[in-house]
Amino acid sequence: MAPVTIRLHGAFSDFANGARRVDLDAATAGEALEALAVAHPSLRERLRDEHGVLRVHLSVFVNADDLASLDGDGTVLHDKDVVHIIPAVSGGGQ
Amino acid sequence: MAKSVAILVGTKKGLWVFRSGAARQRWRAEGPYFAGQAVYHAAFDPRDGETVWAGVNATWGGPRIEVSHDLGRTWTIAANPAFPAGDDRTFARTWHIEAGHASQPGVVWAGTEPASLFRSGDRGHTWEPVRSLNDHPEHAFWSPGGGGLGLHSIAIDPADARSMTIGISSGGVYDTTDGGKTWTNGNAGTRSPIPVPDDPYVLRCVHHLVAHPTVPGVRFQQGHAGVYFRPAGAAKWTERSKGLPTDYGFSAAIHPHDADTAYVIPLEFPVRQSPAPSVGVYRTRDAGKTWKRLTKGLPKGDLEVMREGLATDRLDPAGVYFGSSNGEVWASRDEGHTWAQVSAYLPYVLSVSTATG
């Protein structure tokens, strides 16, 4: 387990009653997101669908790297890593 | 005696609430709630007079249902409708929310995309899939229309909580008479836009379907191909498109006190604008045998009104309301005879519903 910080940006801060920073211990990105959902239950269904898949218009970065380019939920976290929960700049289809 | 009316207007960028006294002459706007987020439908609970639900289909954070127990002033997020583990479907949008039967005060129904029905037993805070419908043997035939594959209409019979009718685009009408344990195809009598050999009555594109709120058994729908009534006890729909400028449109509303009176706003296919000469609300007073075009006070232009865009209130005389894709909301407080604009310059209007209190 590593002490890490989660930064909530934009709408995802709104869904967590305005919280912008959550400090917690986690060994992997998946554990960090689960711990975040425990700390702020209102975020659980905003982050993942009912089958556990991360929502489409959500970007998760570990420091400066997109989780999608790392090992996904299995990405190993280290002391003082920062996990960013960011509304993706995407869409525009409607 | 009702003292007030609220118009709940769902748009592509939030929910507005317009409130008025029973005279319905001046409207006070509130909102937007859920600013920037698409609200496909908002629904009022006439059983408790205070609950409102909103189907918020947000880009960020995904779809969700919000619940208010103070007529829309404050909101809490419900647990999402969810498909069970192993199901390859994922809750993508809420298309319609409907308060349950008067005898079941905690029950609420939600129609979603992909086309499925969910039931809540706790006033909309948690939801369970209705697998008898969602896994109906014909569900493999259902296929998305232009707006997606949605279950968008839920009609509950006023006399019998076990009797419900739902509408799916494209899939058509399904009826239950046992509270949702079993469902039967209810498309008989409707036309397909494209003739089908040995017509199996599946893949009908119903656009909006309603039940009368007090007269048992009555159903009314606007489809992709035709306007139809189905009286109590009838096994088939009767087409009542004659007298309308087109057989195409999305919206349909029924009079709150008279089951023979109903309203549609026909559109031109495929442009989805009102046909020449300009927008008109069409009213029947004889269950669709004849139609009258109502335009007094309406603009001389074309408007587009979507499937949830037309509604009535519960007052007498009845109020009739519609919202358009160019962000206008119009109201009639005399059953459609005259019209006045409630608001303009809103985002694209997706739904109009009412709360009579």
Side-chain angles (χ1 to χ4, degrees):
Chain A
M1 301 281 267
V4 300
T5 295
I6 295 187
R7 296 272 187 189
L8 297 167
H9 300 269
F12 293 99
S13 173
D14 298 339
F15 289 127
N17 296 317
R20 301 189 67 82
R21 170 182 175 144
V22 179
D23 295 313
L24 47 81
D25 293 323
T28 65
E31 284 186 17
L33 294 175
E34 176 59 24
L36 175 64
V38 170
H40 291 281
S42 57
L43 274 174
R44 182 177 295 279
E45 292 183 323
R46 308 283 74 80
L47 298 175
R48 298 184 189 271
D49 68 22
E50 64 263 59
H51 303 305
V53 177
L54 284 175
R55 295 208 173 275
V56 175
H57 300 289
L58 163 65
S59 288
V60 179
F61 276 69
V62 177
N63 302 318
D65 297 316
D66 189 340
L67 194 67
S69 68
L70 300 172
D71 292 330
D73 282 341
T75 300
V76 174
L77 299 181
H78 305 284
D79 286 8
K80 298 183 181 178
D81 276 350
V82 179
V83 179
H84 296 274
I85 309 295
I86 304 170
V89 181
S90 58
Q94 295 184 10
Chain B
M1 185 68 181
K3 295 179 179 174
S4 64
V5 174
I7 315 171
L8 312 173
V9 180
T11 79
K12 279 194 172 181
K13 294 181 183 293
L15 172 71
W16 274 259
V17 181
F18 296 91
R19 301 183 196 274
S20 178
R24 295 161 288 178
Q25 285 185 300
R26 285 184 292 277
W27 297 91
R28 187 181 74 254
E30 296 173 12
Y33 301 99
F34 324 118
Q37 302 168 74
V39 177
Y40 272 45
H41 188 230
F44 168 67
D45 190 345
R47 299 166 300 183
D48 67 14
E50 62 184 23
T51 298
V52 177
W53 302 277
V56 184
N57 299 319
T59 301
W60 295 306
R64 66 185 194 275
I65 291 175
E66 297 255 4
V67 186
S68 169
H69 293 304
D70 56 9
L71 283 174
R73 293 181 174 89
T74 61
W75 298 85
T76 57
I77 299 176
N80 269 2
F83 290 94
D87 196 308
D88 62 1
R89 292 169 289 190
T90 300
F91 168 51
R93 292 178 188 168
T94 303
W95 276 92
H96 186 92
I97 304 169
E98 187 77 23
H101 191 267
S103 66
Q104 300 174 324
V107 173
V108 192
W109 303 90
T112 69
E113 178 180 337
S116 292
L117 183 66
F118 288 81
R119 180 185 187 275
S120 171
D122 60 3
R123 301 170 82 197
H125 290 281
T126 62
W127 299 89
E128 294 293 330
V130 179
R131 301 186 73 167
S132 54
L133 179 72
N134 302 350
D135 300 333
H136 191 281
E138 291 177 358
H139 98 271
F141 294 101
W142 305 343
S143 100
L149 177 56
L151 191 159
H152 53 66
S153 295
I154 303 170
I156 298 170
D157 198 84
D160 184 355
R162 297 167 301 176
S163 177
M164 296 171 54
T165 305
I166 62 89
I168 293 169
S169 291
S170 293
V173 173
Y174 289 83
D175 295 296
T176 181
T177 57
D178 56 15
K181 293 186 180 72
T182 60
W183 297 83
T184 56
N185 182 310
N187 292 319
T190 62
R191 284 187 290 119
S192 170
I194 304 166
V196 180
D198 301 321
D199 195 337
Y201 282 119
V202 294
L203 257 184
R204 286 298 193 270
C205 195
V206 53
H207 281 178
H208 195 59
L209 163 75
V210 294
H212 193 272
T214 60
V215 180
V218 176
R219 304 289 189 269
F220 173 58
Q221 68 152 296
Q222 167 76 66
H224 188 105
V227 170
Y228 302 87
F229 276 85
R230 195 176 69 183
K236 290 187 173 185
W237 295 88
T238 299
E239 182 165 6
R240 295 298 189 190
S241 308
K242 188 178 178 185
L244 295 170
T246 73
D247 65 1
Y248 178 79
F250 282 86
S251 56
I254 200 160
H255 190 283
H257 312 300
D258 177 8
D260 288 338
T261 296
Y263 302 85
V264 292
I265 301 178
L267 300 178
E268 200 85 64
F269 179 81
V271 295
R272 295 197 324 212
Q273 290 283 94
S274 42
S278 63
V279 62
V281 178
Y282 284 75
R283 180 183 65 200
T284 179
R285 290 206 181 276
D286 52 14
K289 295 184 184 71
T290 60
W291 292 92
K292 181 176 183 180
R293 183 168 181 262
L294 307 169
T295 60
K296 193 172 182 180
L298 291 178
K300 305 296 183 192
D302 297 341
L303 295 177
E304 177 189 35
V305 178
M306 300 312 293
R307 71 174 83 252
E308 294 282 8
L310 177 65
T312 55
D313 64 25
R314 299 289 179 93
L315 293 178
D316 186 11
V320 188
Y321 309 88
F322 73 86
S324 58
S325 62
N326 67 333
E328 298 182 18
V329 178
W330 291 84
S332 169
R333 59 195 183 106
D334 54 13
E335 313 213 335
H337 182 62
T338 61
W339 293 87
Q341 191 178 66
V342 174
S343 188
Y345 306 109
L346 296 177
Y348 188 117
V349 174
L350 295 165
S351 68
V352 170
S353 59
T354 64
T356 306

PDB file of all heavy atoms in Angstrom, chain B residues 179-201:
ATOM      1  N   GLY B 179     -49.326  -7.437 -13.893  1.00  0.00           N
ATOM      2  CA  GLY B 179     -48.354  -6.646 -13.139  1.00  0.00           C
ATOM      3  C   GLY B 179     -46.931  -6.779 -13.619  1.00  0.00           C
ATOM      4  O   GLY B 179     -46.002  -6.437 -12.883  1.00  0.00           O
ATOM      5  N   GLY B 180     -46.746  -7.277 -14.842  1.00  0.00           N
ATOM      6  CA  GLY B 180     -45.403  -7.361 -15.414  1.00  0.00           C
ATOM      7  C   GLY B 180     -44.781  -8.736 -15.351  1.00  0.00           C
ATOM      8  O   GLY B 180     -43.623  -8.899 -15.724  1.00  0.00           O
ATOM      9  N   LYS B 181     -45.550  -9.739 -14.925  1.00  0.00           N
ATOM     10  CA  LYS B 181     -44.991 -11.103 -14.938  1.00  0.00           C
ATOM     11  C   LYS B 181     -44.832 -11.600 -16.373  1.00  0.00           C
ATOM     12  O   LYS B 181     -43.851 -12.274 -16.705  1.00  0.00           O
ATOM     13  CB  LYS B 181     -45.894 -12.054 -14.138  1.00  0.00           C
ATOM     14  CG  LYS B 181     -45.948 -11.780 -12.642  1.00  0.00           C
ATOM     15  CD  LYS B 181     -46.748 -12.865 -11.937  1.00  0.00           C
ATOM     16  CE  LYS B 181     -46.816 -12.615 -10.437  1.00  0.00           C
ATOM     17  NZ  LYS B 181     -47.691 -11.470 -10.084  1.00  0.00           N
ATOM     18  N   THR B 182     -45.831 -11.296 -17.200  1.00  0.00           N
ATOM     19  CA  THR B 182     -45.785 -11.702 -18.605  1.00  0.00           C
ATOM     20  C   THR B 182     -46.191 -10.524 -19.484  1.00  0.00           C
ATOM     21  O   THR B 182     -46.938  -9.648 -19.039  1.00  0.00           O
ATOM     22  CB  THR B 182     -46.739 -12.883 -18.886  1.00  0.00           C
ATOM     23  OG1 THR B 182     -48.078 -12.480 -18.571  1.00  0.00           O
ATOM     24  CG2 THR B 182     -46.349 -14.099 -18.062  1.00  0.00           C
ATOM     25  N   TRP B 183     -45.691 -10.540 -20.715  1.00  0.00           N
ATOM     26  CA  TRP B 183     -45.948  -9.443 -21.659  1.00  0.00           C
ATOM     27  C   TRP B 183     -46.340 -10.027 -23.009  1.00  0.00           C
ATOM     28  O   TRP B 183     -45.726 -10.998 -23.465  1.00  0.00           O
ATOM     29  CB  TRP B 183     -44.705  -8.579 -21.823  1.00  0.00           C
ATOM     30  CG  TRP B 183     -44.293  -7.901 -20.556  1.00  0.00           C
ATOM     31  CD1 TRP B 183     -43.538  -8.448 -19.548  1.00  0.00           C
ATOM     32  CD2 TRP B 183     -44.631  -6.589 -20.134  1.00  0.00           C
ATOM     33  NE1 TRP B 183     -43.387  -7.533 -18.534  1.00  0.00           N
ATOM     34  CE2 TRP B 183     -44.039  -6.377 -18.856  1.00  0.00           C
ATOM     35  CE3 TRP B 183     -45.374  -5.547 -20.705  1.00  0.00           C
ATOM     36  CZ2 TRP B 183     -44.169  -5.183 -18.153  1.00  0.00           C
ATOM     37  CZ3 TRP B 183     -45.492  -4.360 -20.010  1.00  0.00           C
ATOM     38  CH2 TRP B 183     -44.905  -4.166 -18.747  1.00  0.00           C
ATOM     39  N   THR B 184     -47.329  -9.411 -23.640  1.00  0.00           N
ATOM     40  CA  THR B 184     -47.743  -9.854 -24.974  1.00  0.00           C
ATOM     41  C   THR B 184     -47.576  -8.719 -25.970  1.00  0.00           C
ATOM     42  O   THR B 184     -47.756  -7.539 -25.628  1.00  0.00           O
ATOM     43  CB  THR B 184     -49.210 -10.315 -24.978  1.00  0.00           C
ATOM     44  OG1 THR B 184     -50.035  -9.249 -24.490  1.00  0.00           O
ATOM     45  CG2 THR B 184     -49.386 -11.533 -24.082  1.00  0.00           C
ATOM     46  N   ASN B 185     -47.233  -9.088 -27.180  1.00  0.00           N
ATOM     47  CA  ASN B 185     -47.098  -8.126 -28.269  1.00  0.00           C
ATOM     48  C   ASN B 185     -48.434  -7.425 -28.487  1.00  0.00           C
ATOM     49  O   ASN B 185     -49.455  -8.071 -28.678  1.00  0.00           O
ATOM     50  CB  ASN B 185     -46.660  -8.885 -29.525  1.00  0.00           C
ATOM     51  CG  ASN B 185     -46.442  -7.978 -30.711  1.00  0.00           C
ATOM     52  OD1 ASN B 185     -47.290  -7.163 -31.044  1.00  0.00           O
ATOM     53  ND2 ASN B 185     -45.298  -8.126 -31.353  1.00  0.00           N
ATOM     54  N   GLY B 186     -48.408  -6.100 -28.455  1.00  0.00           N
ATOM     55  CA  GLY B 186     -49.648  -5.326 -28.587  1.00  0.00           C
ATOM     56  C   GLY B 186     -49.677  -4.467 -29.827  1.00  0.00           C
ATOM     57  O   GLY B 186     -50.284  -3.400 -29.822  1.00  0.00           O
ATOM     58  N   ASN B 187     -49.042  -4.916 -30.900  1.00  0.00           N
ATOM     59  CA  ASN B 187     -48.944  -4.098 -32.113  1.00  0.00           C
ATOM     60  C   ASN B 187     -50.076  -4.327 -33.119  1.00  0.00           C
ATOM     61  O   ASN B 187     -50.116  -3.643 -34.147  1.00  0.00           O
ATOM     62  CB  ASN B 187     -47.615  -4.382 -32.816  1.00  0.00           C
ATOM     63  CG  ASN B 187     -46.428  -3.877 -32.017  1.00  0.00           C
ATOM     64  OD1 ASN B 187     -46.477  -2.799 -31.452  1.00  0.00           O
ATOM     65  ND2 ASN B 187     -45.375  -4.684 -31.957  1.00  0.00           N
ATOM     66  N   ALA B 188     -50.948  -5.265 -32.849  1.00  0.00           N
ATOM     67  CA  ALA B 188     -51.979  -5.613 -33.840  1.00  0.00           C
ATOM     68  C   ALA B 188     -52.800  -4.381 -34.218  1.00  0.00           C
ATOM     69  O   ALA B 188     -53.263  -3.639 -33.352  1.00  0.00           O
ATOM     70  CB  ALA B 188     -52.885  -6.702 -33.282  1.00  0.00           C
ATOM     71  N   GLY B 189     -52.955  -4.203 -35.514  1.00  0.00           N
ATOM     72  CA  GLY B 189     -53.718  -3.075 -36.027  1.00  0.00           C
ATOM     73  C   GLY B 189     -52.862  -1.920 -36.491  1.00  0.00           C
ATOM     74  O   GLY B 189     -53.360  -1.008 -37.152  1.00  0.00           O
ATOM     75  N   THR B 190     -51.575  -1.935 -36.139  1.00  0.00           N
ATOM     76  CA  THR B 190     -50.702  -0.834 -36.561  1.00  0.00           C
ATOM     77  C   THR B 190     -49.975  -1.210 -37.855  1.00  0.00           C
ATOM     78  O   THR B 190     -49.771  -2.386 -38.153  1.00  0.00           O
ATOM     79  CB  THR B 190     -49.661  -0.500 -35.482  1.00  0.00           C
ATOM     80  OG1 THR B 190     -48.823  -1.638 -35.251  1.00  0.00           O
ATOM     81  CG2 THR B 190     -50.343  -0.110 -34.181  1.00  0.00           C
ATOM     82  N   ARG B 191     -49.579  -0.164 -38.573  1.00  0.00           N
ATOM     83  CA  ARG B 191     -48.864  -0.368 -39.833  1.00  0.00           C
ATOM     84  C   ARG B 191     -47.360  -0.245 -39.616  1.00  0.00           C
ATOM     85  O   ARG B 191     -46.901   0.543 -38.800  1.00  0.00           O
ATOM     86  CB  ARG B 191     -49.260   0.713 -40.845  1.00  0.00           C
ATOM     87  CG  ARG B 191     -50.605   0.548 -41.489  1.00  0.00           C
ATOM     88  CD  ARG B 191     -50.792   1.584 -42.599  1.00  0.00           C
ATOM     89  NE  ARG B 191     -50.939   2.938 -42.096  1.00  0.00           N
ATOM     90  CZ  ARG B 191     -50.123   3.938 -42.377  1.00  0.00           C
ATOM     91  NH1 ARG B 191     -49.061   3.734 -43.165  1.00  0.00           N
ATOM     92  NH2 ARG B 191     -50.323   5.152 -41.887  1.00  0.00           N
ATOM     93  N   SER B 192     -46.629  -0.984 -40.402  1.00  0.00           N
ATOM     94  CA  SER B 192     -45.199  -0.762 -40.492  1.00  0.00           C
ATOM     95  C   SER B 192     -44.954   0.288 -41.572  1.00  0.00           C
ATOM     96  O   SER B 192     -45.635   0.296 -42.588  1.00  0.00           O
ATOM     97  CB  SER B 192     -44.482  -2.060 -40.872  1.00  0.00           C
ATOM     98  OG  SER B 192     -43.132  -1.791 -41.181  1.00  0.00           O
ATOM     99  N   PRO B 193     -43.975   1.190 -41.364  1.00  0.00           N
ATOM    100  CA  PRO B 193     -43.653   2.150 -42.430  1.00  0.00           C
ATOM    101  C   PRO B 193     -43.251   1.448 -43.717  1.00  0.00           C
ATOM    102  O   PRO B 193     -43.451   1.966 -44.819  1.00  0.00           O
ATOM    103  CB  PRO B 193     -42.476   2.945 -41.855  1.00  0.00           C
ATOM    104  CG  PRO B 193     -42.467   2.672 -40.399  1.00  0.00           C
ATOM    105  CD  PRO B 193     -43.121   1.353 -40.192  1.00  0.00           C
ATOM    106  N   ILE B 194     -42.682   0.270 -43.575  1.00  0.00           N
ATOM    107  CA  ILE B 194     -42.292  -0.534 -44.729  1.00  0.00           C
ATOM    108  C   ILE B 194     -43.111  -1.815 -44.685  1.00  0.00           C
ATOM    109  O   ILE B 194     -43.053  -2.542 -43.687  1.00  0.00           O
ATOM    110  CB  ILE B 194     -40.790  -0.880 -44.686  1.00  0.00           C
ATOM    111  CG1 ILE B 194     -39.966   0.419 -44.593  1.00  0.00           C
ATOM    112  CG2 ILE B 194     -40.375  -1.720 -45.874  1.00  0.00           C
ATOM    113  CD1 ILE B 194     -38.519   0.185 -44.220  1.00  0.00           C
ATOM    114  N   PRO B 195     -43.891  -2.094 -45.724  1.00  0.00           N
ATOM    115  CA  PRO B 195     -44.711  -3.316 -45.687  1.00  0.00           C
ATOM    116  C   PRO B 195     -43.866  -4.560 -45.434  1.00  0.00           C
ATOM    117  O   PRO B 195     -42.793  -4.721 -46.002  1.00  0.00           O
ATOM    118  CB  PRO B 195     -45.346  -3.351 -47.084  1.00  0.00           C
ATOM    119  CG  PRO B 195     -45.320  -1.931 -47.545  1.00  0.00           C
ATOM    120  CD  PRO B 195     -44.085  -1.325 -46.947  1.00  0.00           C
ATOM    121  N   VAL B 196     -44.352  -5.412 -44.559  1.00  0.00           N
ATOM    122  CA  VAL B 196     -43.615  -6.613 -44.166  1.00  0.00           C
ATOM    123  C   VAL B 196     -44.422  -7.830 -44.595  1.00  0.00           C
ATOM    124  O   VAL B 196     -45.581  -7.973 -44.209  1.00  0.00           O
ATOM    125  CB  VAL B 196     -43.403  -6.646 -42.649  1.00  0.00           C
ATOM    126  CG1 VAL B 196     -42.641  -7.895 -42.234  1.00  0.00           C
ATOM    127  CG2 VAL B 196     -42.682  -5.387 -42.185  1.00  0.00           C
ATOM    128  N   PRO B 197     -43.834  -8.745 -45.390  1.00  0.00           N
ATOM    129  CA  PRO B 197     -44.549  -9.964 -45.769  1.00  0.00           C
ATOM    130  C   PRO B 197     -44.869 -10.802 -44.534  1.00  0.00           C
ATOM    131  O   PRO B 197     -44.044 -10.893 -43.617  1.00  0.00           O
ATOM    132  CB  PRO B 197     -43.562 -10.697 -46.685  1.00  0.00           C
ATOM    133  CG  PRO B 197     -42.486  -9.718 -47.007  1.00  0.00           C
ATOM    134  CD  PRO B 197     -42.487  -8.682 -45.944  1.00  0.00           C
ATOM    135  N   ASP B 198     -46.046 -11.394 -44.506  1.00  0.00           N
ATOM    136  CA  ASP B 198     -46.449 -12.236 -43.369  1.00  0.00           C
ATOM    137  C   ASP B 198     -46.172 -11.508 -42.056  1.00  0.00           C
ATOM    138  O   ASP B 198     -45.531 -12.036 -41.146  1.00  0.00           O
ATOM    139  CB  ASP B 198     -45.712 -13.577 -43.389  1.00  0.00           C
ATOM    140  CG  ASP B 198     -45.978 -14.337 -44.686  1.00  0.00           C
ATOM    141  OD1 ASP B 198     -47.122 -14.289 -45.160  1.00  0.00           O
ATOM    142  OD2 ASP B 198     -45.031 -14.936 -45.208  1.00  0.00           O
ATOM    143  N   ASP B 199     -46.665 -10.300 -41.989  1.00  0.00           N
ATOM    144  CA  ASP B 199     -46.344  -9.361 -40.909  1.00  0.00           C
ATOM    145  C   ASP B 199     -46.392 -10.017 -39.529  1.00  0.00           C
ATOM    146  O   ASP B 199     -47.437 -10.459 -39.073  1.00  0.00           O
ATOM    147  CB  ASP B 199     -47.340  -8.203 -40.971  1.00  0.00           C
ATOM    148  CG  ASP B 199     -46.894  -7.021 -40.145  1.00  0.00           C
ATOM    149  OD1 ASP B 199     -46.108  -7.226 -39.215  1.00  0.00           O
ATOM    150  OD2 ASP B 199     -47.337  -5.906 -40.452  1.00  0.00           O
ATOM    151  N   PRO B 200     -45.252 -10.081 -38.854  1.00  0.00           N
ATOM    152  CA  PRO B 200     -45.241 -10.684 -37.511  1.00  0.00           C
ATOM    153  C   PRO B 200     -45.573  -9.678 -36.410  1.00  0.00           C
ATOM    154  O   PRO B 200     -45.538 -10.018 -35.237  1.00  0.00           O
ATOM    155  CB  PRO B 200     -43.806 -11.164 -37.384  1.00  0.00           C
ATOM    156  CG  PRO B 200     -43.017 -10.167 -38.165  1.00  0.00           C
ATOM    157  CD  PRO B 200     -43.910  -9.703 -39.300  1.00  0.00           C
ATOM    158  N   TYR B 201     -45.855  -8.447 -36.790  1.00  0.00           N
ATOM    159  CA  TYR B 201     -46.178  -7.406 -35.804  1.00  0.00           C
ATOM    160  C   TYR B 201     -45.052  -7.157 -34.803  1.00  0.00           C
ATOM    161  O   TYR B 201     -45.298  -6.865 -33.647  1.00  0.00           O
ATOM    162  CB  TYR B 201     -47.483  -7.732 -35.066  1.00  0.00           C
ATOM    163  CG  TYR B 201     -48.713  -7.427 -35.881  1.00  0.00           C
ATOM    164  CD1 TYR B 201     -49.616  -8.427 -36.223  1.00  0.00           C
ATOM    165  CD2 TYR B 201     -48.972  -6.127 -36.305  1.00  0.00           C
ATOM    166  CE1 TYR B 201     -50.750  -8.148 -36.961  1.00  0.00           C
ATOM    167  CE2 TYR B 201     -50.100  -5.830 -37.054  1.00  0.00           C
ATOM    168  CZ  TYR B 201     -50.977  -6.850 -37.379  1.00  0.00           C
ATOM    169  OH  TYR B 201     -52.109  -6.570 -38.128  1.00  0.00           O
TER     170      TYR B 201
END
